[in-house]
Amino acid sequence: LARRWGSVVIDDDPYGMLRFEGEHLPTLRELGAGDPLVFSVRTFSKILAPGLRVGWLDTVPELRQLLINAKQTMDTCTNMPAQRLLTGYLTGGHLEKHLATQREQYRRRKGAMQEALGEHLGDIATWTDPHGGFFLWVTLHNGVDTEQLFEVALAEGVAFIPGPAFSPAGRFHDALRLCFASTAPERTKEGVTRLRRAIDQTAAASAGSRG
Ligand SMILES: Cc1ncc(COP(=O)(O)O)c(C=O)c1O
């Protein structure tokens, strides 16, 4: 389709290197078999530190100058000291060890969140079992609207992204996205306990307003 329309396919892939289980999945670039119209935009934000503001492109060398020119029109260039810092880190061979540690930690944190959900939300919700990334997609089966739930959960000290934020058509009012990556298991457990409290309060409030 992209070839027919002379369009590029940009694979925005911040999580591909953080796959912690399951078989290898090809990137869009691998599937594109060297087609220069398919390239990946990657970032150190999720694998090292968002504050570095450094990322990279996986593409063919012929596109290099064109892409540098395009970047220059946006923000002149990516911060040089951070690029130098990263060059030292990468040439020192530290990335693979760091990624291995991170992957293991995220795998454990995902498991901890799923366990807490099983304990506290097992009767009213189902959730995904991702092989990578930072998030679980939780679907509520008790009629609670996750946009209404959001304010109540914030008051309990828990945040999530309500499902409709992921749908241009405003679907997924019964769903929410939870991040397991940045929280240690004990805190996750506490967060899920509070989330359950917020869900019960929201359900009671909407039952009250119905009659
Ligand atoms: C889909 C996606 N791509 C890329 C990024 C990272 O962007 P940046 O490299 O500008 O920090 C994020 C971060 O939230 C993201 O969600």
Side-chain angles (χ1 to χ4, degrees):
L1 206 61
R3 220 169 275 141
R4 181 159 8 118
W5 291 95
S7 173
V8 291
V9 176
I10 301 174
D11 180 13
D12 174 19
D13 181 17
Y15 299 111
M17 295 173 84
L18 292 173
R19 192 168 165 79
F20 42 70
E21 52 195 25
E23 79 285 11
H24 169 74
L25 290 183
T27 61
L28 285 188
R29 183 152 165 66
E30 283 164 347
L31 291 173
D35 188 325
L37 291 183
V38 184
F39 59 88
S40 301
V41 181
R42 295 178 176 277
T43 177
F44 287 102
S45 286
K46 308 283 175 171
I47 56 181
L48 266 184
L52 289 170
R53 312 304 313 141
V54 181
W56 75 99
L57 287 164
D58 281 346
T59 184
V60 290
E62 301 85 77
L63 283 188
R64 196 182 135 110
Q65 195 54 51
L66 201 71
L67 290 164
I68 289 173
N69 294 349
K71 171 88 172 142
Q72 249 168 5
T73 64
M74 289 191 284
D75 60 3
T76 313
C77 83
T78 298
N79 146 22
M80 266 306 186
Q83 289 195 65
R84 294 221 168 219
L85 194 86
L86 271 165
T87 305
Y89 189 83
L90 296 175
T91 52
H94 304 294
L95 186 65
E96 268 315 310
K97 189 161 168 268
H98 171 74
L99 280 174
T101 311
Q102 291 303 100
R103 287 187 195 113
E104 180 51 24
Q105 183 174 67
Y106 294 145
R107 197 185 59 73
R108 272 191 278 112
R109 289 184 170 186
K110 177 194 77 161
M113 182 170 273
Q114 288 175 322
E115 202 179 305
L117 288 169
E119 197 175 319
H120 298 284
L121 267 70
D123 56 334
I124 53 162
T126 47
W127 47 89
T128 51
D129 183 26
H131 289 158
F134 287 3
F135 309 104
L136 296 187
W137 183 252
V138 180
T139 305
L140 301 181
H141 301 292
N142 64 348
V144 162
D145 182 314
T146 55
E147 280 185 328
Q148 286 173 14
L149 171 64
F150 184 64
E151 293 297 328
V152 186
L154 280 188
E156 286 284 343
V158 190
F160 57 82
I161 310 276
F166 300 95
S167 165
R171 292 171 56 214
F172 309 133
H173 277 268
D174 58 348
L176 56 99
R177 191 188 77 170
L178 285 181
C179 176
F180 57 76
S182 56
T183 322
E186 270 316 299
R187 223 169 127 73
T188 292
K189 214 171 155 173
E190 173 63 23
V192 172
T193 311
R194 292 181 188 203
L195 180 63
R196 176 63 199 240
R197 261 200 317 261
I199 292 172
D200 289 345
Q201 285 170 37
T202 311
S206 44
S209 70
R210 274 199 302 271

PDB file of all heavy atoms in Angstrom, residues 96-125:
ATOM      1  N   GLU A  96      23.862  -3.997  26.672  1.00  0.00           N
ATOM      2  CA  GLU A  96      23.266  -5.337  26.716  1.00  0.00           C
ATOM      3  C   GLU A  96      23.022  -5.799  28.150  1.00  0.00           C
ATOM      4  O   GLU A  96      21.975  -6.349  28.473  1.00  0.00           O
ATOM      5  CB  GLU A  96      24.135  -6.353  25.963  1.00  0.00           C
ATOM      6  CG  GLU A  96      23.729  -6.515  24.508  1.00  0.00           C
ATOM      7  CD  GLU A  96      22.199  -6.631  24.279  1.00  0.00           C
ATOM      8  OE1 GLU A  96      21.549  -7.450  24.959  1.00  0.00           O
ATOM      9  OE2 GLU A  96      21.657  -5.902  23.433  1.00  0.00           O
ATOM     10  N   LYS A  97      24.002  -5.527  29.030  1.00  0.00           N
ATOM     11  CA  LYS A  97      23.871  -5.946  30.427  1.00  0.00           C
ATOM     12  C   LYS A  97      22.699  -5.189  31.071  1.00  0.00           C
ATOM     13  O   LYS A  97      21.881  -5.761  31.785  1.00  0.00           O
ATOM     14  CB  LYS A  97      25.178  -5.643  31.157  1.00  0.00           C
ATOM     15  CG  LYS A  97      25.246  -6.217  32.535  1.00  0.00           C
ATOM     16  CD  LYS A  97      26.709  -6.307  33.021  1.00  0.00           C
ATOM     17  CE  LYS A  97      26.755  -6.608  34.495  1.00  0.00           C
ATOM     18  NZ  LYS A  97      26.819  -5.439  35.345  1.00  0.00           N
ATOM     19  N   HIS A  98      22.635  -3.898  30.789  1.00  0.00           N
ATOM     20  CA  HIS A  98      21.561  -3.076  31.346  1.00  0.00           C
ATOM     21  C   HIS A  98      20.191  -3.583  30.863  1.00  0.00           C
ATOM     22  O   HIS A  98      19.257  -3.725  31.642  1.00  0.00           O
ATOM     23  CB  HIS A  98      21.775  -1.617  30.920  1.00  0.00           C
ATOM     24  CG  HIS A  98      20.630  -0.724  31.249  1.00  0.00           C
ATOM     25  ND1 HIS A  98      20.373  -0.307  32.539  1.00  0.00           N
ATOM     26  CD2 HIS A  98      19.665  -0.181  30.475  1.00  0.00           C
ATOM     27  CE1 HIS A  98      19.296   0.454  32.527  1.00  0.00           C
ATOM     28  NE2 HIS A  98      18.850   0.549  31.300  1.00  0.00           N
ATOM     29  N   LEU A  99      20.106  -3.883  29.559  1.00  0.00           N
ATOM     30  CA  LEU A  99      18.830  -4.352  29.007  1.00  0.00           C
ATOM     31  C   LEU A  99      18.414  -5.678  29.642  1.00  0.00           C
ATOM     32  O   LEU A  99      17.236  -5.879  29.952  1.00  0.00           O
ATOM     33  CB  LEU A  99      18.941  -4.531  27.488  1.00  0.00           C
ATOM     34  CG  LEU A  99      18.823  -3.254  26.656  1.00  0.00           C
ATOM     35  CD1 LEU A  99      19.090  -3.554  25.182  1.00  0.00           C
ATOM     36  CD2 LEU A  99      17.456  -2.602  26.811  1.00  0.00           C
ATOM     37  N   ALA A 100      19.386  -6.549  29.854  1.00  0.00           N
ATOM     38  CA  ALA A 100      19.068  -7.856  30.462  1.00  0.00           C
ATOM     39  C   ALA A 100      18.494  -7.646  31.866  1.00  0.00           C
ATOM     40  O   ALA A 100      17.501  -8.272  32.255  1.00  0.00           O
ATOM     41  CB  ALA A 100      20.314  -8.721  30.503  1.00  0.00           C
ATOM     42  N   THR A 101      19.106  -6.724  32.630  1.00  0.00           N
ATOM     43  CA  THR A 101      18.606  -6.441  33.983  1.00  0.00           C
ATOM     44  C   THR A 101      17.200  -5.852  33.918  1.00  0.00           C
ATOM     45  O   THR A 101      16.311  -6.253  34.667  1.00  0.00           O
ATOM     46  CB  THR A 101      19.541  -5.407  34.672  1.00  0.00           C
ATOM     47  OG1 THR A 101      20.870  -5.848  34.508  1.00  0.00           O
ATOM     48  CG2 THR A 101      19.224  -5.235  36.131  1.00  0.00           C
ATOM     49  N   GLN A 102      17.013  -4.889  33.001  1.00  0.00           N
ATOM     50  CA  GLN A 102      15.714  -4.234  32.892  1.00  0.00           C
ATOM     51  C   GLN A 102      14.622  -5.218  32.485  1.00  0.00           C
ATOM     52  O   GLN A 102      13.531  -5.219  33.055  1.00  0.00           O
ATOM     53  CB  GLN A 102      15.762  -3.097  31.849  1.00  0.00           C
ATOM     54  CG  GLN A 102      16.603  -1.920  32.267  1.00  0.00           C
ATOM     55  CD  GLN A 102      16.128  -1.331  33.586  1.00  0.00           C
ATOM     56  OE1 GLN A 102      16.706  -1.613  34.618  1.00  0.00           O
ATOM     57  NE2 GLN A 102      15.079  -0.551  33.574  1.00  0.00           N
ATOM     58  N   ARG A 103      14.929  -6.063  31.513  1.00  0.00           N
ATOM     59  CA  ARG A 103      13.925  -7.017  31.035  1.00  0.00           C
ATOM     60  C   ARG A 103      13.473  -7.922  32.181  1.00  0.00           C
ATOM     61  O   ARG A 103      12.285  -8.169  32.360  1.00  0.00           O
ATOM     62  CB  ARG A 103      14.491  -7.871  29.903  1.00  0.00           C
ATOM     63  CG  ARG A 103      14.639  -7.121  28.594  1.00  0.00           C
ATOM     64  CD  ARG A 103      15.033  -8.098  27.486  1.00  0.00           C
ATOM     65  NE  ARG A 103      15.530  -7.377  26.330  1.00  0.00           N
ATOM     66  CZ  ARG A 103      16.789  -7.415  25.895  1.00  0.00           C
ATOM     67  NH1 ARG A 103      17.685  -8.151  26.511  1.00  0.00           N
ATOM     68  NH2 ARG A 103      17.148  -6.725  24.829  1.00  0.00           N
ATOM     69  N   GLU A 104      14.422  -8.394  32.960  1.00  0.00           N
ATOM     70  CA  GLU A 104      14.087  -9.283  34.064  1.00  0.00           C
ATOM     71  C   GLU A 104      13.228  -8.547  35.100  1.00  0.00           C
ATOM     72  O   GLU A 104      12.252  -9.076  35.621  1.00  0.00           O
ATOM     73  CB  GLU A 104      15.391  -9.833  34.681  1.00  0.00           C
ATOM     74  CG  GLU A 104      15.209 -10.777  35.852  1.00  0.00           C
ATOM     75  CD  GLU A 104      14.226 -11.917  35.577  1.00  0.00           C
ATOM     76  OE1 GLU A 104      14.017 -12.278  34.408  1.00  0.00           O
ATOM     77  OE2 GLU A 104      13.654 -12.435  36.561  1.00  0.00           O
ATOM     78  N   GLN A 105      13.600  -7.304  35.367  1.00  0.00           N
ATOM     79  CA  GLN A 105      12.836  -6.529  36.342  1.00  0.00           C
ATOM     80  C   GLN A 105      11.394  -6.284  35.846  1.00  0.00           C
ATOM     81  O   GLN A 105      10.432  -6.427  36.600  1.00  0.00           O
ATOM     82  CB  GLN A 105      13.515  -5.191  36.606  1.00  0.00           C
ATOM     83  CG  GLN A 105      12.767  -4.407  37.662  1.00  0.00           C
ATOM     84  CD  GLN A 105      13.485  -3.146  38.060  1.00  0.00           C
ATOM     85  OE1 GLN A 105      13.620  -2.225  37.276  1.00  0.00           O
ATOM     86  NE2 GLN A 105      13.948  -3.109  39.277  1.00  0.00           N
ATOM     87  N   TYR A 106      11.253  -5.931  34.578  1.00  0.00           N
ATOM     88  CA  TYR A 106       9.908  -5.681  34.048  1.00  0.00           C
ATOM     89  C   TYR A 106       9.076  -6.967  34.043  1.00  0.00           C
ATOM     90  O   TYR A 106       7.877  -6.944  34.297  1.00  0.00           O
ATOM     91  CB  TYR A 106       9.980  -5.089  32.639  1.00  0.00           C
ATOM     92  CG  TYR A 106      10.593  -3.705  32.612  1.00  0.00           C
ATOM     93  CD1 TYR A 106      11.386  -3.286  31.564  1.00  0.00           C
ATOM     94  CD2 TYR A 106      10.369  -2.809  33.664  1.00  0.00           C
ATOM     95  CE1 TYR A 106      11.957  -2.021  31.554  1.00  0.00           C
ATOM     96  CE2 TYR A 106      10.935  -1.551  33.655  1.00  0.00           C
ATOM     97  CZ  TYR A 106      11.736  -1.158  32.603  1.00  0.00           C
ATOM     98  OH  TYR A 106      12.289   0.086  32.599  1.00  0.00           O
ATOM     99  N   ARG A 107       9.725  -8.101  33.750  1.00  0.00           N
ATOM    100  CA  ARG A 107       8.998  -9.379  33.757  1.00  0.00           C
ATOM    101  C   ARG A 107       8.456  -9.651  35.164  1.00  0.00           C
ATOM    102  O   ARG A 107       7.303 -10.019  35.344  1.00  0.00           O
ATOM    103  CB  ARG A 107       9.937 -10.503  33.296  1.00  0.00           C
ATOM    104  CG  ARG A 107       9.221 -11.776  32.878  1.00  0.00           C
ATOM    105  CD  ARG A 107      10.206 -12.879  32.546  1.00  0.00           C
ATOM    106  NE  ARG A 107      11.085 -13.205  33.663  1.00  0.00           N
ATOM    107  CZ  ARG A 107      10.719 -13.866  34.751  1.00  0.00           C
ATOM    108  NH1 ARG A 107       9.485 -14.300  34.868  1.00  0.00           N
ATOM    109  NH2 ARG A 107      11.571 -14.101  35.736  1.00  0.00           N
ATOM    110  N   ARG A 108       9.299  -9.395  36.172  1.00  0.00           N
ATOM    111  CA  ARG A 108       8.875  -9.631  37.556  1.00  0.00           C
ATOM    112  C   ARG A 108       7.774  -8.657  37.959  1.00  0.00           C
ATOM    113  O   ARG A 108       6.803  -9.021  38.620  1.00  0.00           O
ATOM    114  CB  ARG A 108      10.062  -9.508  38.513  1.00  0.00           C
ATOM    115  CG  ARG A 108      10.777 -10.843  38.670  1.00  0.00           C
ATOM    116  CD  ARG A 108      11.788 -10.852  39.794  1.00  0.00           C
ATOM    117  NE  ARG A 108      13.048 -10.272  39.355  1.00  0.00           N
ATOM    118  CZ  ARG A 108      13.549  -9.131  39.791  1.00  0.00           C
ATOM    119  NH1 ARG A 108      12.910  -8.431  40.708  1.00  0.00           N
ATOM    120  NH2 ARG A 108      14.691  -8.671  39.337  1.00  0.00           N
ATOM    121  N   ARG A 109       7.919  -7.399  37.529  1.00  0.00           N
ATOM    122  CA  ARG A 109       6.910  -6.387  37.900  1.00  0.00           C
ATOM    123  C   ARG A 109       5.569  -6.662  37.225  1.00  0.00           C
ATOM    124  O   ARG A 109       4.519  -6.442  37.822  1.00  0.00           O
ATOM    125  CB  ARG A 109       7.430  -4.988  37.555  1.00  0.00           C
ATOM    126  CG  ARG A 109       8.546  -4.589  38.502  1.00  0.00           C
ATOM    127  CD  ARG A 109       9.038  -3.194  38.282  1.00  0.00           C
ATOM    128  NE  ARG A 109       9.933  -2.836  39.377  1.00  0.00           N
ATOM    129  CZ  ARG A 109      10.460  -1.644  39.565  1.00  0.00           C
ATOM    130  NH1 ARG A 109      10.196  -0.661  38.715  1.00  0.00           N
ATOM    131  NH2 ARG A 109      11.250  -1.405  40.595  1.00  0.00           N
ATOM    132  N   LYS A 110       5.617  -7.149  36.003  1.00  0.00           N
ATOM    133  CA  LYS A 110       4.367  -7.518  35.339  1.00  0.00           C
ATOM    134  C   LYS A 110       3.674  -8.621  36.143  1.00  0.00           C
ATOM    135  O   LYS A 110       2.486  -8.539  36.437  1.00  0.00           O
ATOM    136  CB  LYS A 110       4.635  -8.022  33.916  1.00  0.00           C
ATOM    137  CG  LYS A 110       3.369  -8.471  33.228  1.00  0.00           C
ATOM    138  CD  LYS A 110       3.616  -9.278  31.968  1.00  0.00           C
ATOM    139  CE  LYS A 110       4.033 -10.702  32.259  1.00  0.00           C
ATOM    140  NZ  LYS A 110       3.854 -11.616  31.117  1.00  0.00           N
ATOM    141  N   GLY A 111       4.460  -9.631  36.540  1.00  0.00           N
ATOM    142  CA  GLY A 111       3.894 -10.744  37.302  1.00  0.00           C
ATOM    143  C   GLY A 111       3.294 -10.263  38.614  1.00  0.00           C
ATOM    144  O   GLY A 111       2.224 -10.711  39.022  1.00  0.00           O
ATOM    145  N   ALA A 112       3.987  -9.328  39.274  1.00  0.00           N
ATOM    146  CA  ALA A 112       3.499  -8.816  40.563  1.00  0.00           C
ATOM    147  C   ALA A 112       2.172  -8.088  40.368  1.00  0.00           C
ATOM    148  O   ALA A 112       1.242  -8.225  41.175  1.00  0.00           O
ATOM    149  CB  ALA A 112       4.534  -7.887  41.184  1.00  0.00           C
ATOM    150  N   MET A 113       2.061  -7.326  39.275  1.00  0.00           N
ATOM    151  CA  MET A 113       0.801  -6.604  39.056  1.00  0.00           C
ATOM    152  C   MET A 113      -0.325  -7.581  38.729  1.00  0.00           C
ATOM    153  O   MET A 113      -1.449  -7.456  39.230  1.00  0.00           O
ATOM    154  CB  MET A 113       0.957  -5.562  37.950  1.00  0.00           C
ATOM    155  CG  MET A 113      -0.321  -4.765  37.736  1.00  0.00           C
ATOM    156  SD  MET A 113      -0.120  -3.345  36.657  1.00  0.00           S
ATOM    157  CE  MET A 113       0.396  -2.090  37.813  1.00  0.00           C
ATOM    158  N   GLN A 114      -0.025  -8.597  37.923  1.00  0.00           N
ATOM    159  CA  GLN A 114      -1.064  -9.573  37.585  1.00  0.00           C
ATOM    160  C   GLN A 114      -1.527 -10.324  38.830  1.00  0.00           C
ATOM    161  O   GLN A 114      -2.709 -10.600  38.991  1.00  0.00           O
ATOM    162  CB  GLN A 114      -0.522 -10.551  36.539  1.00  0.00           C
ATOM    163  CG  GLN A 114      -0.368  -9.900  35.172  1.00  0.00           C
ATOM    164  CD  GLN A 114       0.286 -10.818  34.166  1.00  0.00           C
ATOM    165  OE1 GLN A 114       1.203 -11.555  34.517  1.00  0.00           O
ATOM    166  NE2 GLN A 114      -0.149 -10.754  32.928  1.00  0.00           N
ATOM    167  N   GLU A 115      -0.574 -10.614  39.713  1.00  0.00           N
ATOM    168  CA  GLU A 115      -0.931 -11.323  40.949  1.00  0.00           C
ATOM    169  C   GLU A 115      -1.847 -10.438  41.808  1.00  0.00           C
ATOM    170  O   GLU A 115      -2.867 -10.896  42.327  1.00  0.00           O
ATOM    171  CB  GLU A 115       0.348 -11.645  41.696  1.00  0.00           C
ATOM    172  CG  GLU A 115       0.208 -12.791  42.660  1.00  0.00           C
ATOM    173  CD  GLU A 115       1.534 -13.071  43.348  1.00  0.00           C
ATOM    174  OE1 GLU A 115       2.530 -13.283  42.634  1.00  0.00           O
ATOM    175  OE2 GLU A 115       1.559 -13.047  44.593  1.00  0.00           O
ATOM    176  N   ALA A 116      -1.482  -9.152  41.931  1.00  0.00           N
ATOM    177  CA  ALA A 116      -2.305  -8.231  42.729  1.00  0.00           C
ATOM    178  C   ALA A 116      -3.695  -8.070  42.106  1.00  0.00           C
ATOM    179  O   ALA A 116      -4.704  -8.021  42.813  1.00  0.00           O
ATOM    180  CB  ALA A 116      -1.606  -6.876  42.829  1.00  0.00           C
ATOM    181  N   LEU A 117      -3.752  -8.021  40.778  1.00  0.00           N
ATOM    182  CA  LEU A 117      -5.054  -7.907  40.116  1.00  0.00           C
ATOM    183  C   LEU A 117      -5.895  -9.151  40.388  1.00  0.00           C
ATOM    184  O   LEU A 117      -7.100  -9.062  40.647  1.00  0.00           O
ATOM    185  CB  LEU A 117      -4.865  -7.710  38.607  1.00  0.00           C
ATOM    186  CG  LEU A 117      -4.342  -6.330  38.177  1.00  0.00           C
ATOM    187  CD1 LEU A 117      -3.937  -6.346  36.705  1.00  0.00           C
ATOM    188  CD2 LEU A 117      -5.370  -5.234  38.422  1.00  0.00           C
ATOM    189  N   GLY A 118      -5.238 -10.313  40.329  1.00  0.00           N
ATOM    190  CA  GLY A 118      -5.947 -11.560  40.593  1.00  0.00           C
ATOM    191  C   GLY A 118      -6.553 -11.561  41.986  1.00  0.00           C
ATOM    192  O   GLY A 118      -7.671 -12.013  42.211  1.00  0.00           O
ATOM    193  N   GLU A 119      -5.791 -11.014  42.919  1.00  0.00           N
ATOM    194  CA  GLU A 119      -6.251 -10.995  44.304  1.00  0.00           C
ATOM    195  C   GLU A 119      -7.392 -10.000  44.518  1.00  0.00           C
ATOM    196  O   GLU A 119      -8.354 -10.286  45.219  1.00  0.00           O
ATOM    197  CB  GLU A 119      -5.056 -10.623  45.183  1.00  0.00           C
ATOM    198  CG  GLU A 119      -5.241 -10.945  46.645  1.00  0.00           C
ATOM    199  CD  GLU A 119      -3.962 -10.649  47.421  1.00  0.00           C
ATOM    200  OE1 GLU A 119      -2.866 -10.961  46.893  1.00  0.00           O
ATOM    201  OE2 GLU A 119      -4.071 -10.103  48.520  1.00  0.00           O
ATOM    202  N   HIS A 120      -7.284  -8.821  43.912  1.00  0.00           N
ATOM    203  CA  HIS A 120      -8.224  -7.744  44.246  1.00  0.00           C
ATOM    204  C   HIS A 120      -9.292  -7.439  43.191  1.00  0.00           C
ATOM    205  O   HIS A 120     -10.307  -6.829  43.501  1.00  0.00           O
ATOM    206  CB  HIS A 120      -7.452  -6.456  44.548  1.00  0.00           C
ATOM    207  CG  HIS A 120      -6.555  -6.596  45.729  1.00  0.00           C
ATOM    208  ND1 HIS A 120      -7.021  -6.599  47.023  1.00  0.00           N
ATOM    209  CD2 HIS A 120      -5.210  -6.771  45.813  1.00  0.00           C
ATOM    210  CE1 HIS A 120      -6.018  -6.757  47.853  1.00  0.00           C
ATOM    211  NE2 HIS A 120      -4.900  -6.872  47.143  1.00  0.00           N
ATOM    212  N   LEU A 121      -9.030  -7.815  41.931  1.00  0.00           N
ATOM    213  CA  LEU A 121     -10.000  -7.483  40.880  1.00  0.00           C
ATOM    214  C   LEU A 121     -10.495  -8.707  40.117  1.00  0.00           C
ATOM    215  O   LEU A 121     -11.207  -8.583  39.117  1.00  0.00           O
ATOM    216  CB  LEU A 121      -9.361  -6.501  39.868  1.00  0.00           C
ATOM    217  CG  LEU A 121      -9.578  -5.003  40.098  1.00  0.00           C
ATOM    218  CD1 LEU A 121      -8.824  -4.531  41.313  1.00  0.00           C
ATOM    219  CD2 LEU A 121      -9.127  -4.210  38.894  1.00  0.00           C
ATOM    220  N   GLY A 122     -10.092  -9.892  40.605  1.00  0.00           N
ATOM    221  CA  GLY A 122     -10.388 -11.130  39.875  1.00  0.00           C
ATOM    222  C   GLY A 122     -11.867 -11.334  39.591  1.00  0.00           C
ATOM    223  O   GLY A 122     -12.233 -11.927  38.573  1.00  0.00           O
ATOM    224  N   ASP A 123     -12.755 -10.824  40.476  1.00  0.00           N
ATOM    225  CA  ASP A 123     -14.193 -11.059  40.304  1.00  0.00           C
ATOM    226  C   ASP A 123     -14.849 -10.062  39.342  1.00  0.00           C
ATOM    227  O   ASP A 123     -15.987 -10.261  38.935  1.00  0.00           O
ATOM    228  CB  ASP A 123     -14.893 -10.981  41.671  1.00  0.00           C
ATOM    229  CG  ASP A 123     -14.632  -9.659  42.388  1.00  0.00           C
ATOM    230  OD1 ASP A 123     -13.574  -9.036  42.124  1.00  0.00           O
ATOM    231  OD2 ASP A 123     -15.486  -9.222  43.189  1.00  0.00           O
ATOM    232  N   ILE A 124     -14.138  -8.973  38.978  1.00  0.00           N
ATOM    233  CA  ILE A 124     -14.794  -7.944  38.154  1.00  0.00           C
ATOM    234  C   ILE A 124     -14.004  -7.536  36.912  1.00  0.00           C
ATOM    235  O   ILE A 124     -14.444  -6.657  36.167  1.00  0.00           O
ATOM    236  CB  ILE A 124     -15.065  -6.656  38.987  1.00  0.00           C
ATOM    237  CG1 ILE A 124     -13.771  -6.181  39.660  1.00  0.00           C
ATOM    238  CG2 ILE A 124     -16.202  -6.844  39.972  1.00  0.00           C
ATOM    239  CD1 ILE A 124     -13.851  -4.735  40.115  1.00  0.00           C
ATOM    240  N   ALA A 125     -12.854  -8.136  36.686  1.00  0.00           N
ATOM    241  CA  ALA A 125     -12.037  -7.657  35.569  1.00  0.00           C
ATOM    242  C   ALA A 125     -11.213  -8.773  34.934  1.00  0.00           C
ATOM    243  O   ALA A 125     -10.990  -9.816  35.543  1.00  0.00           O
ATOM    244  CB  ALA A 125     -11.089  -6.563  36.069  1.00  0.00           C
TER     245      ALA A 125
END
